[in-house]
Amino acid sequence: MGSVKKLAGQTLWYGVPTIATRFLGYLLSIFLFRWYGPTQTADITQVYALIPFLNILFTYGLETAYFRFVQHTEEKRLFNTLSVSIISSTIVFSIMLLLFTEPLARFTSLETKPEYFRWMVYILFFDTLSAIPFARLRHQERPRKYAFVKVMNISLTVLLSFYFLRFCPLRYAQDPNDSLLLFYNPSFGIGYYIVANAIASAISLLLLWEEWKALRIEFDAKLWKQVMLYAYPLIIVGFGGMINEMLSRLVYSHVLDLPIEEEKRQLGIFGASYKVAVLITMFIQVFKMAAEPFFFKQSTGDNAARTYARVMKFFVMACSLMWLGIALGLPLITRIAYGENFAAYNEGSAIIPILAMASVFLGIYYNLSIWYKLTNKTWTGAWITLGGALVTVLLNVWWIPLFGYTGSAWATFICYAAMMLVSYRMGQRYYPVPYAWKKYAAYLLIAVGLYVLQNWGINPFISSLWGKGLIAAALFAGYAVFMAKVEKKELVKLPLIGRFVAKL
């Protein structure tokens, strides 16, 4: 249990500041929905669907490779080699994207806002150069420094966004020549959200100066080739994953045959629904940060497979609880999120539970994927992800013209469910882990059953929003207590929550 407690502790260390930063970013995006309508937020949705795709290209699997190779390679030599590689490639990629901004902006439906594309490249440049130092902090188990830089990044993004998007427009209306508006251009509008992100990313890179000071210009070509043989299938895995997650928003306008304003309106609603569903993705990303180095370190132990199974159980429990909270609290969450633009955005709220459950499947897949990383069968992982990507492409092209963003949401759900099941079956063949899959399925099905009960069995008879909220809170609490009682023997051993479970 000690190893699971350690992972829980590290997840909390990474989790509290990371959830805080994600939540601040989430709140900022919520304010965008309050300040701007679906048509105006569509271009921002497009930019932030592009960034994860390009981030895969810029980092090309070196973060995961770092955790794998640091187990049996001199850390300084590995750090220097990977850093020299990523610095060189980042400069080349950035210059190429900037040189071809105009045609690339047209290809990505940003032809009216090419400046958004340029600022996006700056974000990628600074974030990529921070990737290996961040990986080193995680390997060295220094979550405080990691958390400090991440919190500073999002805090600056939030402050600068409020400055450019709220303060400056008000000051400009009073006095266009105000000295505080030296760099402000009112025509740039919501694009300042991207500018704020780029400035914050640059400052975050500066805050990692101590890590960069350790860099020596040393490049071990033999080591680099070994790393790339391991890492380049992960590029395919990454691209496949991003296709599954982001392709729907990138191709949405291309597969619809509607007036441009209507396409942008639907894309804005789709993006807003994804933002609400991303609440569950926050936890998955936090868990992944702590779990990736943890899983590799545990691989040399005698009870590694048993540890992975127990970690999966706690992960599924947490995800099912979070999914139920989002699904039951949806009427209140969307009211808060959309504010005065509630009527404009709320028509897409029905897809949020679908997208949230798809995220749960993706999180389980991330846990399962340890088998091909430990057995060096990264190509197998690549084929699984490519298969999922093919399903995503075909279903989106087929269903978006027929069902709009609802069809795309179900395509995401089916894709991640298929990847999860295939990875489980193949993983049990090459790296057997005693997963209690019947229990995992039961927890998820009970959560879905409670949502169905509330949404179709209770809500139609209650008109008050607060009445619905109280019923939702009671169902959520009952489910949490039920799980705590079933898993009491194990939960009491975990940090923080153990003392509360012991009282049940």
Side-chain angles (χ1 to χ4, degrees):
M1 190 66 188
S3 57
V4 176
K5 282 184 70 175
K6 183 178 181 181
L7 176 60
Q10 289 185 357
T11 301
L12 285 172
W13 260 113
Y14 286 110
V16 172
T18 304
I19 286 176
T21 58
R22 294 282 178 184
F23 190 66
L24 282 173
Y26 175 76
L27 285 180
L28 179 56
S29 64
I30 292 305
F31 277 110
L32 290 183
F33 300 143
R34 287 173 167 269
W35 298 336
Y36 301 95
T39 303
Q40 294 167 295
T41 59
D43 289 331
I44 297 296
T45 297
Q46 196 79 346
V47 167
Y48 282 88
L50 276 170
I51 286 176
F53 268 105
L54 293 172
N55 186 58
I56 299 298
L57 174 67
F58 272 60
T59 57
Y60 48 96
L62 291 192
E63 290 170 283
T64 300
Y66 176 88
F67 295 125
R68 178 61 170 162
F69 279 80
V70 79
Q71 306 300 319
H72 51 76
T73 307
E74 182 191 357
E75 196 276 337
K76 288 184 179 178
R77 183 161 57 95
L78 180 67
F79 176 76
N80 291 336
T81 298
L82 298 192
S83 296
V84 169
S85 177
I86 208 166
I87 290 170
S88 304
S89 59
T90 299
I91 292 171
V92 172
F93 292 156
S94 298
I95 290 174
M96 290 177 63
L97 289 177
L98 290 172
L99 286 175
F100 296 98
T101 291
E102 296 293 336
L104 288 171
R106 285 195 298 273
F107 179 74
T108 55
S109 301
L110 290 169
E111 61 274 10
T112 60
K113 300 289 184 181
E115 62 274 22
Y116 287 12
F117 192 93
R118 273 189 287 271
W119 280 100
M120 178 195 71
V121 175
Y122 302 145
I123 294 172
L124 287 163
F125 179 84
F126 297 125
D127 284 352
T128 305
L129 294 184
S130 300
I132 300 300
F134 273 134
R136 195 181 203 193
L137 289 175
R138 288 165 61 193
H139 168 70
Q140 294 173 347
E141 298 182 359
R142 296 169 59 196
R144 297 183 186 186
K145 175 67 177 288
Y146 182 96
F148 170 74
V149 179
K150 288 290 185 180
V151 169
M152 284 297 295
N153 180 290
I154 190 60
S155 299
L156 286 169
T157 302
V158 170
L159 289 173
L160 289 170
S161 295
F162 270 86
Y163 170 74
F164 285 122
L165 299 177
R166 302 310 289 170
F167 174 79
C168 286
L170 293 174
R171 295 293 296 175
Y172 187 85
Q174 297 172 0
D175 181 8
N177 299 314
D178 193 314
S179 59
L180 293 174
L181 304 175
L182 182 62
F183 301 105
Y184 178 68
N185 180 357
S187 65
F188 204 72
I190 196 174
Y192 276 115
Y193 178 73
I194 310 172
V195 174
N197 194 166
I199 295 172
S201 293
I203 294 173
S204 294
L205 181 61
L206 293 176
L207 293 175
L208 292 168
W209 173 245
E210 288 296 322
E211 281 61 48
W212 278 116
K213 277 173 53 179
L215 173 65
R216 298 294 178 267
I217 306 302
E218 173 190 8
F219 186 78
D220 186 327
K222 183 179 178 181
L223 173 61
W224 184 81
K225 289 178 182 177
Q226 293 173 349
V227 168
M228 290 308 298
L229 282 173
Y230 176 85
Y232 78 84
L234 297 177
I235 303 173
I236 299 173
V237 172
F239 270 121
M242 286 304 107
I243 287 172
N244 296 333
E245 188 172 350
M246 299 293 181
L247 180 82
S248 55
R249 280 157 284 174
L250 288 174
V251 305
Y252 200 85
S253 299
H254 295 284
V255 297
L256 282 177
D257 186 19
L258 296 171
I260 187 65
E261 285 298 309
E262 176 60 17
E263 288 179 357
K264 283 185 174 291
R265 187 190 73 83
Q266 290 191 22
L267 181 58
I269 293 170
F270 193 21
S273 299
Y274 250 103
K275 280 292 183 182
V276 176
V278 88
L279 281 169
I280 202 166
T281 309
M282 291 182 196
F283 169 74
I284 293 170
Q285 290 172 336
V286 167
F287 177 85
K288 191 180 176 185
M289 287 176 197
E292 194 165 42
F294 170 84
F295 281 156
F296 281 117
K297 288 180 180 179
Q298 288 295 313
S299 64
T300 57
D302 296 331
N303 297 313
R306 186 167 173 266
T307 298
Y308 298 152
R310 298 175 83 179
V311 168
M312 177 69 88
K313 180 176 67 176
F314 291 126
F315 178 83
V316 172
M317 289 169 61
C319 282
S320 62
L321 197 63
M322 293 180 70
W323 181 88
L324 185 62
I326 292 171
L328 294 180
L330 202 54
L332 186 59
I333 292 171
T334 51
R335 288 278 180 183
I336 295 171
Y338 302 147
E340 63 252 31
N341 286 322
F342 176 79
Y345 285 107
N346 191 57
E347 70 175 65
S349 62
I351 70 170
I352 293 172
I354 303 169
L355 293 171
M357 184 58 77
S359 294
V360 173
F361 294 156
L362 179 62
I364 294 173
Y365 171 74
Y366 282 149
N367 274 268
L368 294 169
S369 67
I370 192 63
W371 72 264
Y372 65 73
K373 294 176 182 177
L374 292 178
T375 58
N376 292 330
K377 294 185 179 296
T378 49
W379 262 115
T380 307
W383 285 115
I384 294 172
T385 310
L386 283 175
L390 180 62
V391 170
T392 298
V393 172
L394 293 176
L395 291 182
N396 272 286
V397 171
W398 180 17
W399 285 350
I400 287 177
L402 295 175
F403 310 111
Y405 44 72
T406 302
S408 185
W410 279 111
T412 303
F413 180 94
I414 292 170
C415 167
Y416 289 151
M419 288 172 58
M420 174 184 68
L421 293 173
V422 171
S423 185
Y424 170 75
R425 295 289 294 179
M426 296 192 73
Q428 292 304 93
R429 177 181 173 186
Y430 293 105
Y431 192 93
V433 175
Y435 294 119
W437 63 268
K438 291 182 181 178
K439 181 176 282 190
Y440 310 156
Y443 284 141
L444 292 173
L445 287 172
I446 292 170
V448 172
L450 290 173
Y451 167 64
V452 171
L453 172 65
Q454 186 224 30
N455 205 48
W456 284 279
I458 297 174
N459 279 358
F461 304 101
I462 301 176
S463 58
S464 167
L465 180 63
W466 291 108
K468 293 176 181 178
L470 289 173
I471 296 294
L475 291 173
F476 180 82
Y479 181 67
V481 171
F482 162 73
M483 281 202 304
K485 284 184 175 292
V486 172
E487 304 291 347
K488 185 173 182 178
K489 288 184 179 179
E490 295 225 74
L491 291 176
V492 293
K493 301 174 186 177
L494 292 178
L496 295 182
I497 66 171
R499 68 180 70 176
F500 299 105
V501 174
K503 297 176 182 179
L504 294 176

